[in-house]
């Protein structure tokens, strides 16, 4: 400030890179292949003159760091509903002080330090999780992402007392889901991709019998003399 129409008349660079300037601006360009473990000190000295011959000197100093980059150990994982997966994030460059941040994540996502964890809770299919990192100078990377593919639980219903030669319909329902399957001349039926939750199993054209409901290979219910039972998927608790 001050003087009469001051302009930049001379600029000197101390450190790596290059500079260009006009009468009112200075532009700095870092080297294309810069690497440094601790950063590089850059200093730019300015001379400003006005039309009456007055001069003033100024100086701009900063530290040039490596480009801030974020990577992850895996870009995608698969899981069964009700479980969790964790991605390890790694930042390099910048000033070495990192904060990992989620950007509009799906429900069930959290981040602690550089560990990104996703826990599914009834939503099947693919989920994309966006994140970025910033350093102590508030320099941010662009968004990166990982994906998680969530499949449902397999539920097996069996009854050794089912008569052969007839068709029976089994319906597994909850407040938000309905799955229907037919069992023809068989003793078991498998429902696939079932989200976590509490379900009711009902049958048609079938009297009460000894039903066994299992999640994968773990038996969670034996119902005697019933044709309607409740099944809590994932928790493996005994049923009423």
């Amino acid at each position: 400030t001050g003087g009469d129409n001051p302009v930049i008349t001379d600029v000197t660079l101390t450190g790596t890179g290059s500079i260009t300037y006009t009468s009112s601006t200075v532009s700095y360009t870092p080297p294309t292949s810069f690497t440094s473990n601790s950063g590089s000190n850059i200093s730019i000295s300015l001379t400003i003159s006005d039309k009456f011959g007055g001069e003033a000197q100024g100086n701009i100093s900063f530290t040039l760091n490596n480009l801030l980059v974020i990577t992850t150990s895996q870009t995608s994982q698969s899981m069964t509903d009700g479980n969790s997966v964790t991605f390890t994030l790694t930042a390099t460059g910048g000033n070495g002080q990192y904060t990992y941040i989620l950007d509009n994540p799906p429900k069930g996502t959290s981040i602690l330090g550089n560990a990104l964890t996703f826990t599914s809770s009834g939503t099947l299919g693919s989920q994309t999780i966006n994140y970025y990192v910033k350093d102590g100078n508030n320099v941010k990377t662009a968004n990166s992402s990982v994906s998680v593919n969530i499949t449902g639980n397999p539920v097996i219903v069996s009854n050794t007392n089912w008569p052969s030669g007839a068709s029976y319909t089994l319906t597994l329902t909850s407040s938000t889901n309905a799955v229907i399957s037919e069992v023809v001349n068989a003793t078991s039926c498998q429902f696939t991709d079932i989200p976590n939750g509490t379900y009711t199993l009902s049958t048609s054209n079938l009297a009460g019998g000894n039903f066994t409901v299992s999640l994968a290979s773990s038996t969670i219910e034996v119902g005697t003399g019933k044709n309607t039972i409740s099944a809590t998927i994932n928790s493996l608790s005994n049923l009423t």
Side-chain angles (χ1 to χ4, degrees):
T1 61
D4 193 340
N5 295 323
V7 295
I8 299 172
T9 56
D10 188 51
V11 178
T12 302
L13 171 66
T14 302
T16 188
S18 62
I19 54 174
T20 58
Y21 68 94
T22 66
S23 61
S24 59
T25 62
V26 177
S27 298
Y28 170 78
T29 302
T32 56
S33 58
F34 175 79
T35 57
S36 173
N37 291 330
S38 58
S40 178
N41 294 324
I42 306 297
S43 178
I44 301 175
S45 299
L46 311 175
T47 299
I48 301 174
S49 305
D50 67 11
K51 68 179 182 179
F52 295 113
E55 287 188 349
Q57 277 72 43
N59 184 267
I60 303 171
S61 298
F62 57 91
T63 300
L64 177 64
N65 295 307
N66 292 334
L67 181 67
L68 182 61
V69 175
I70 187 169
T71 57
T72 182
S73 56
Q74 296 173 278
T75 57
S76 64
Q77 294 192 55
S78 296
M79 63 184 295
T80 303
D81 187 37
N83 294 314
S84 299
V85 293
T86 297
F87 298 86
T88 300
L89 311 180
T90 302
T92 57
N95 74 343
Q97 301 172 7
Y98 305 127
T99 303
Y100 300 87
I101 302 170
L102 297 169
D103 185 7
N104 193 27
K107 180 183 177 181
T109 310
S110 63
I111 196 164
L112 179 62
N114 68 329
L116 186 160
T117 300
F118 174 77
T119 303
S120 68
S121 56
T123 299
L124 306 185
S126 181
Q127 294 282 351
T128 298
I129 305 170
N130 296 312
Y131 60 91
Y132 63 92
V133 66
K134 69 177 182 179
D135 69 7
N137 292 324
N138 206 34
V139 175
K140 303 176 183 179
T141 63
N143 274 4
S144 296
S145 64
V146 293
S147 62
V148 181
N149 185 52
I150 307 104
T151 56
N153 297 285
V155 177
I156 301 172
V157 182
S158 62
N159 181 3
T160 58
N161 295 325
W162 285 343
S164 62
S167 175
Y168 310 105
T169 299
L170 280 73
T171 306
L172 194 64
T173 60
S174 72
S175 59
T176 57
N177 301 285
V179 180
I180 301 175
S181 178
E182 288 188 352
V183 178
V184 180
N185 195 20
T187 59
S188 67
C189 171
Q190 178 167 315
F191 298 94
T192 59
D193 276 346
I194 306 301
N196 293 335
T198 299
Y199 294 80
T200 298
L201 173 67
S202 59
T203 67
S204 64
N205 302 322
L206 180 65
N210 296 317
F211 298 97
T212 299
V213 179
S214 59
L215 177 61
S217 60
S218 301
T219 298
I220 58 175
E221 162 71 7
V222 176
T224 302
K226 305 176 184 179
N227 62 6
T228 300
I229 57 177
S230 294
T232 300
I233 309 305
N234 188 52
S235 66
L236 306 185
S237 62
N238 289 329
L239 309 176
T240 59

